[in-house]
Amino acid sequence: MTGLETSTIFAYCGAALIGIGIYGFLVRRHMIRRLIAFNVIGSGVFLLFGATGARQPDLGVDPVPQALIITGLVVALAATALVVALTVRYAHLTKRATLREDLPDEQGGS
Amino acid sequence: MTTLGLAPVFLIIVPLTAAFLAVVAPWPRVLVIGAVPLMLALTVALVMSVWRDGPISIAIGGWQAPLGIELAAGGLAASFLATTTVVMTIIVLVALPAFGNRHGETRTGWAFWPLAFMMWAALNAVFLSGDLFNIYVAIEFLTLATLALVALEGKAGTIEAAMRYAIFALFGSLAYLLGVVLLYAAHGTLDLDLLAAATKGDSASLVGAALITAGLAAKTALFPFHAWLPPAHAGAPAPASAMLSALVPKASFFVLVQFWFVVMPEAAGPLFVQLIGVLGAAAILYGSLLAIRQTRLKRLIAYSTVAQIGYLFLVFPLAGGDSAAQPWSAGAWTGAMLQAIAHALAKGAMFLAAGLVVEAAGHDRLSAVHGLARTMPITAFTFALSSVTLMGLPPSGGFVAKYLMLTSAFASGQIVWALVILTGGLLAAAYLFRVLAPTFLRSAKARADIGAVRQALPLTLAATSILLGLLSAQPFEFLQIGRPQAATGGLQ
Amino acid sequence: MSLAALFTVVFTSAGLFFFIAGAVGMIRFPDMHSRLHALTKADNLGLGLIVIGVMPQVDRPVTALKLVFIWALALVASAVTAQLLARSAAPPDLCEDG
Amino acid sequence: MIGPAFDLLLALIVIAVALAATLGRDNFGAVVFFIVYGSLLAVAWTRLGAVDVALAEAAIGAGLTGLLLVGALARLSRLEVFSPKPPGAGARALCALTAASVAAVVAYALTGLDPDGGGLTETVAADLDRSGVQNPVTAVLLNFRGYDTLLESIVLLVVLVGVWSLAQDRHWGGAPGLAQHARPDGVLATFARALPPIGLLIGVYVVWVGTSEPGGAFQGATILAAVWLLAAMAGLTDAPSVTRRSVRVIVIAGPALFLAIGTVGALAGTFLALPPDHAKRLIQVIEAGLTISIAATLALLVLGFPQRAPP
């Protein structure tokens, strides 16, 4: 795909969003920020999916990616909701919203 | 459609129905008594149908691929599904006393059952699915149920383990999904068989394949994506640990095998298969060494899972790439699949037995097993039998599996993998003797009495893992049904 | 340029001005409440002017009705959001006021 | 040539807002940018012609996900959580390199795609009249790939079980979330009383037109969930206890109904088969059931696990 059609522009935009999200996911430690990054990657994947399904403007957008994206959005929301609840509960218990970075079990188990 | 043909869809419908009922009412006893015999009967029906008539394919809703989703079951899917049925049956029976809600509904007593039945349904859905996106939904379903089970104890440590697992799992699922998207963009289908028939030399397919592999490897906890596994598996309640360690990694591994041996076998270059082999070998060695250093029983068993999963990935250098067309590939491939099944049975038994030991001793330090041979001989015997399988000693299923992989490694001249398999066996012996040897010590009396029936249930799993070795000819033949490269070698 | 087009340009530009003013207020004002004040006043007016501005361009009366409906909904939505945000930003002793 | 210029500008703004949502120092600001980002993506979806997805993106991606994240930050700020030091410049450069290479590889994969690849558009169109609905997206969601949708609705249920199970044992049997207080004659309460009828109407409308035009169960259910949440936040209604039987029946009803219809098909020969003559009515029944269950589940997910002891 090359050129300046709507589909091409948004397909590459999706690729860029994936990169931005990955950076955020790697750099951020706060779980809520990681969830934002996760959702940015996810929407980048969806945008790329939808845009590659719109390569033939006269046919309209391929309905199969559209349906799968709606499914994917709901699954991403579900995952986000569970991790949010885990984070809030974890903060109740530890006053932290970040994971410890050392792995205690790799030093011989506690 | 015959009654036998209905078995696959009902293997998904029945646990889902049980899960719905478990959400509404906290009566696990009724559900287990209702669902388990049905699941056993359906599994027998599925296995018989595949054995007699070959691979099954079902178009859901009557819509053929590429428009609809097709379910498919060959020997491999049916074997993994049957293993799941056996392991889950024992797990739910062992879990009944702990999560029985006998004195009114409790938080864990309520939540465990919908999650367990949904996990069962999700596993079956993964094994039966013939569609890449449907596999994505099924794997997410499985992952989210797993996450909830990891956090079930509600302690800071287990919730942290769940969050760490979530980070790997979310990343893995996005990578997998992006791979699926690229494959669909290139070929306009999500069906495994239709994709297998398409020509795939383009950049989108190759990048897609790499992303799918990375995503599934993270979900299977392949080294170096293993860090989440031990705290997650060790922190969950014992019946959940058994499901997590015995079954859940097998689902993403199964999809990986389907992908590389059915959809894109031609893309598996020598560099790629060697790389996966190296990661598998690293998992075996690193996981075993860390298992030796653990001071807690469930942690030790969890690290053993990291190591045992490593063996599965040796299937890539031994049976994939250039090896695929060679006579030894059938043995290597079947060996790896038998390893997955034998490990599921033995690890399920071991975690359930560990749960009973922890319950009896009141803690999970390694000293909990002191004197077990006297106080809980059945459980001690369970540990011994499952250790035999994990170490790969005859006559267990683990022995046959590792023997098949070993002979293929020698036949193909890939001596390094043979050395890794042998070293892994020795290291397994080292960490498992840390559990087995102290069972003969004298020790203080256990705090709680565990009934003989509850102890005998895990033993049946361990015994099945031994039987798998004694009767390995039929499983070997069964696994070949529907395998793309038909068996050319056999058991010597 | 036709009269309708001129009408559109004038009103949408006026609308844009209010949006920009709102955005500046959002950045420059010191606390949550004055920021909310800037945002809601400016955006509601800005959106209203833009809706009026594009009216001559629509093909069917029902589309114009939909546009007005959108504006009305946006008004109510921003009012509710502002209430919720103000309540979460208010010190606890003022909370019953929400 | 206004089309490509507008699309290019929109794409650049989307990227800029995404950067603000991931790079910004302030957590609350990042969430606000994320919500803006979702709304802009909805515009991008309409530019692509995918109106169903635009609705879902606005309602689910921007709306509910944003609400979840805002709610989480509000709860965390009350706990004054420890904030870690950001990683050093070297580590950040390495992360940026990794991220950029993944994006570059994905972009490289896109260059290899056939510019005329049509996907399954024509296959769907060919069987559309046997699906019972006129909206091809709804046909794929509820009929051709209804199995995906069935599993997806159960994914929401599994997460609800997971979220509830995070309660403390002593709170088991309590209502989800914290109690909300608002003055009954305040502005918020007044609006919260006026909006539900409108929201209800729009939500039901979005589900209803889904068979022929953009819309459907998931988008409509999100609107209904938002209406109920507004009423709950204004203190007009309170969440029911997690142990109440009726709540549990409501959250499983939709998926269970879907599964039951699929099972009837299985007993008649084909799992999840919708006979063309009855497909439209069956899809409407399934969508109605799913809408109720999904709306309830989504609202309960936003409220979170029980934090109050049972009365």
Side-chain angles (χ1 to χ4, degrees):
Chain A
M1 290 175 86
T2 45
L4 262 186
E5 297 84 17
T6 305
S7 58
T8 315
I9 291 171
F10 286 116
Y12 285 98
C13 179
L17 294 176
I18 293 166
I20 293 168
I22 291 175
Y23 177 74
F25 204 86
L26 292 175
V27 166
R28 294 286 160 195
R29 292 275 171 265
H30 196 289
M31 283 304 278
I32 301 300
R33 300 301 296 273
R34 282 198 157 161
L35 279 176
I36 293 178
F38 162 75
N39 277 290
V40 170
I41 305 176
S43 56
V45 174
F46 296 141
L47 191 59
L48 191 149
F49 198 8
T52 54
R55 275 173 282 176
Q56 289 195 325
D58 41 317
L59 276 181
V61 198
D62 189 346
V64 172
Q66 288 196 65
L68 302 188
I69 290 164
I70 293 173
T71 304
L73 279 169
V74 176
V75 172
L77 173 77
T80 306
L82 186 54
V83 179
V84 159
L86 284 170
T87 307
V88 172
R89 185 82 186 96
Y90 186 64
H92 276 302
L93 291 166
T94 62
K95 299 266 178 205
R96 298 170 62 96
T98 50
L99 292 178
R100 286 173 299 154
E101 280 170 47
D102 51 344
L103 287 171
D105 38 294
E106 302 231 342
Q107 275 98 52
S110 59
Chain B
M1 198 187 283
T2 62
T3 29
L4 278 187
L6 283 173
V9 292
F10 276 94
L11 280 164
I12 295 165
I13 293 173
V14 170
L16 283 181
T17 309
F20 290 152
L21 294 174
V23 169
V24 176
W27 302 319
R29 213 162 294 268
V30 181
L31 288 177
V32 168
I33 291 168
V36 165
L38 262 176
M39 292 301 280
L40 288 169
L42 288 165
T43 307
V44 170
L46 173 72
V47 168
M48 279 176 47
S49 154
V50 172
W51 185 255
R52 277 209 319 239
D53 311 326
I56 300 174
S57 171
I58 298 170
I60 294 181
W63 305 107
Q64 308 283 334
L67 183 61
I69 299 167
E70 293 196 8
L71 296 186
L76 179 63
S79 312
F80 274 47
L81 207 140
T83 310
T84 304
T85 304
V86 172
V87 176
M88 283 302 294
T89 297
I90 301 296
I91 289 173
V92 294
L93 290 176
V94 174
L96 264 180
F99 300 100
N101 294 317
R102 247 185 287 182
H103 310 292
E105 183 189 287
T106 59
R107 178 182 65 87
T108 51
W110 173 75
F112 178 81
W113 296 101
L115 295 174
F117 281 114
M118 284 183 189
M119 176 173 275
W120 198 343
L123 284 164
N124 288 354
V126 173
F127 295 141
L128 291 171
S129 183
D131 179 283
L132 280 179
F133 188 82
N134 183 249
I135 290 173
Y136 167 74
V137 179
I139 285 208
E140 285 305 286
F141 185 13
L142 181 64
T143 302
L144 293 170
T146 308
L147 261 176
L149 280 173
V150 169
L152 195 61
E153 292 273 10
K155 300 195 187 86
T158 63
I159 292 173
E160 176 164 339
M163 286 157 72
R164 201 179 294 284
Y165 174 38
I167 288 173
F168 281 91
L170 294 181
F171 215 71
S173 52
L174 286 176
Y176 176 84
L177 182 63
L178 181 55
V180 173
V181 164
L182 289 174
L183 281 174
Y184 179 84
H187 306 291
T189 180
L190 296 158
D191 184 74
L192 297 181
D193 293 327
L194 292 178
L195 276 173
T199 45
K200 301 171 288 285
D202 57 303
S203 58
S205 302
L206 293 177
V207 173
L211 286 163
I212 285 176
T213 308
L216 292 173
K219 292 220 171 202
T220 318
L222 174 62
F223 183 90
F225 302 123
H226 66 284
W228 60 266
L229 186 146
H233 287 192
S241 301
M243 293 181 219
L244 265 48
S245 232
L247 301 172
V248 175
K250 309 302 186 314
S252 39
F253 174 71
F254 172 83
V255 179
L256 208 49
V257 168
Q258 291 276 85
F259 187 77
W260 282 107
F261 287 86
V262 177
V263 179
M264 288 185 76
E266 74 281 1
L271 203 66
F272 168 76
V273 295
Q274 295 300 325
L275 172 71
I276 299 287
V278 167
L279 296 180
I284 296 173
L285 302 176
Y286 189 70
S288 302
L289 287 172
L290 281 168
I292 292 174
R293 294 172 54 187
Q294 297 305 311
T295 54
R296 288 187 180 262
L297 181 59
K298 288 180 78 183
R299 278 286 159 100
L300 187 150
I301 303 174
Y303 270 104
S304 152
T305 298
V306 173
Q308 297 287 327
I309 284 173
Y311 287 101
L312 304 178
F313 286 89
L314 295 185
V315 72
F316 288 92
L318 292 176
D322 296 338
S323 292
Q326 302 296 334
W328 61 76
S329 78
W333 186 86
T334 317
M337 300 309 127
L338 281 175
Q339 159 72 10
I341 295 168
H343 174 254
L345 296 166
K347 195 48 67 76
M350 205 171 242
F351 259 125
L352 289 176
L356 299 179
V357 170
V358 172
E359 190 181 324
H363 63 86
D364 98 320
R365 290 187 296 279
L366 265 184
S367 59
V369 298
H370 285 196
L372 208 60
R374 217 159 30 82
T375 54
M376 296 168 72
I378 304 175
T379 298
F381 191 47
T382 307
F383 273 123
L385 283 189
S386 22
S387 300
V388 166
T389 282
L390 294 182
M391 288 185 250
L393 297 179
S396 67
F399 165 72
V400 176
K402 282 158 194 162
Y403 176 78
L404 283 170
M405 292 168 81
L406 206 57
T407 48
S408 320
F410 281 122
S412 62
Q414 305 187 65
I415 308 296
V416 182
W417 306 130
L419 286 176
V420 169
I421 293 170
L422 290 171
T423 315
L426 289 175
L427 291 172
Y431 63 73
L432 289 168
F433 272 115
R434 294 191 61 215
V435 180
L436 292 179
T439 57
F440 296 101
L441 292 173
R442 303 183 141 273
S443 83
K445 214 167 152 45
R447 274 206 258 155
D449 273 335
I450 309 288
V453 178
R454 281 180 78 200
Q455 291 193 56
L457 286 168
L459 181 62
T460 55
L461 278 185
T464 314
S465 77
I466 303 287
L467 273 181
L468 185 67
L470 291 171
L471 312 167
S472 54
Q474 282 79 19
F476 186 97
E477 242 181 276
F478 187 72
L479 277 168
Q480 309 306 318
I481 299 172
R483 192 169 82 85
Q485 296 91 14
T488 44
L491 284 174
Q492 271 82 52
Chain C
M1 195 186 276
S2 73
L3 201 64
L6 187 71
F7 181 85
T8 299
V9 169
V10 169
F11 272 84
T12 45
S13 305
L16 278 178
F17 169 76
F18 279 97
F19 267 105
I20 292 166
V24 171
M26 166 86 181
I27 295 164
R28 296 299 298 259
F29 282 157
D31 65 285
M32 172 80 94
H33 293 97
S34 39
R35 281 179 178 181
L36 278 177
H37 164 85
L39 263 190
T40 48
K41 301 293 173 298
D43 289 1
N44 291 338
L45 204 52
L47 186 64
L49 286 169
I50 288 177
V51 165
I52 294 170
V54 295
M55 280 292 171
Q57 311 295 328
V58 300
D59 44 358
R60 287 187 304 166
V62 74
T63 316
L65 212 63
K66 275 185 190 169
L67 281 169
V68 174
F69 192 55
I70 288 170
W71 182 37
L73 277 181
L75 274 178
V76 180
S78 78
V80 172
T81 323
Q83 283 287 325
L84 284 173
L85 282 174
R87 197 173 59 156
S88 78
D93 52 319
L94 290 177
C95 254
E96 311 90 295
D97 247 21
Chain D
M1 283 311 286
I2 195 122
F6 180 82
D7 293 335
L8 215 51
L9 187 67
L10 181 59
L12 289 176
I13 296 176
V14 164
I15 288 172
V17 175
L19 281 170
T22 45
L23 300 186
R25 224 154 255 275
D26 177 40
N27 292 335
F28 190 75
V31 175
V32 172
F33 274 117
F34 176 74
I35 295 172
V36 175
Y37 166 78
S39 319
L40 287 171
L41 277 181
V43 181
W45 286 117
T46 52
R47 283 293 304 161
L48 282 165
V51 184
D52 293 86
V53 182
L55 276 174
E57 179 76 53
I60 300 169
L64 267 191
T65 309
L67 189 57
L68 266 171
L69 297 174
V70 170
L73 275 185
R75 284 173 205 189
L76 293 179
S77 68
R78 239 173 271 143
L79 293 167
E80 290 170 354
V81 294
F82 155 88
S83 39
K85 273 185 293 189
R92 273 190 315 223
L94 198 66
C95 294
L97 193 68
T98 314
S101 11
V102 175
V105 169
V106 174
Y108 160 72
L110 287 176
T111 59
L113 287 179
D114 174 9
D116 298 321
L120 291 171
T121 312
E122 281 156 330
T123 321
V124 171
D127 277 319
L128 193 60
D129 53 342
R130 291 202 293 140
S131 74
V133 291
Q134 291 89 51
N135 178 354
V137 180
T138 305
V140 175
L141 270 176
L142 270 301
N143 201 339
F144 302 144
R145 295 182 67 95
Y147 177 51
D148 273 346
T149 309
L150 172 67
L151 289 184
E152 165 202 7
S153 64
I154 302 170
V155 167
L156 282 175
L157 191 60
V158 88
V159 166
L160 185 67
V161 174
V163 169
W164 281 359
S165 76
L166 286 167
Q168 294 179 47
D169 283 319
R170 66 191 169 88
H171 290 161
W172 189 246
L178 295 163
Q180 299 284 343
H181 304 287
R183 213 174 54 188
D185 55 341
V187 183
L188 185 60
T190 311
F191 274 121
R193 257 188 286 271
L195 271 179
I198 307 172
L200 205 64
L201 191 69
I202 297 175
V204 172
Y205 172 76
V206 168
V207 180
W208 182 254
V209 297
T211 52
S212 52
E213 281 173 69
F218 289 100
Q219 295 93 331
T222 312
I223 296 172
L224 295 181
V227 167
W228 189 81
L229 282 169
L230 178 64
M233 279 193 268
L236 294 182
T237 172
D238 198 8
S241 155
V242 295
T243 49
R244 201 183 300 164
R245 194 65 46 88
S246 58
V247 180
R248 295 181 178 180
V249 170
I250 287 172
V251 295
I252 67 146
L257 181 71
F258 200 169
L259 185 68
I261 290 173
T263 309
V264 171
L267 293 172
T270 314
F271 180 47
L272 279 174
L274 305 177
D277 296 340
H278 308 289
K280 178 160 188 173
R281 192 147 321 135
L282 285 174
I283 286 177
Q284 283 168 342
V285 169
I286 294 168
E287 287 218 277
L290 282 182
T291 305
I292 293 168
S293 292
I294 293 169
T297 309
L298 291 176
L300 290 166
L301 281 180
V302 171
L303 290 181
F305 49 83
Q307 294 185 44
R308 290 174 264 172

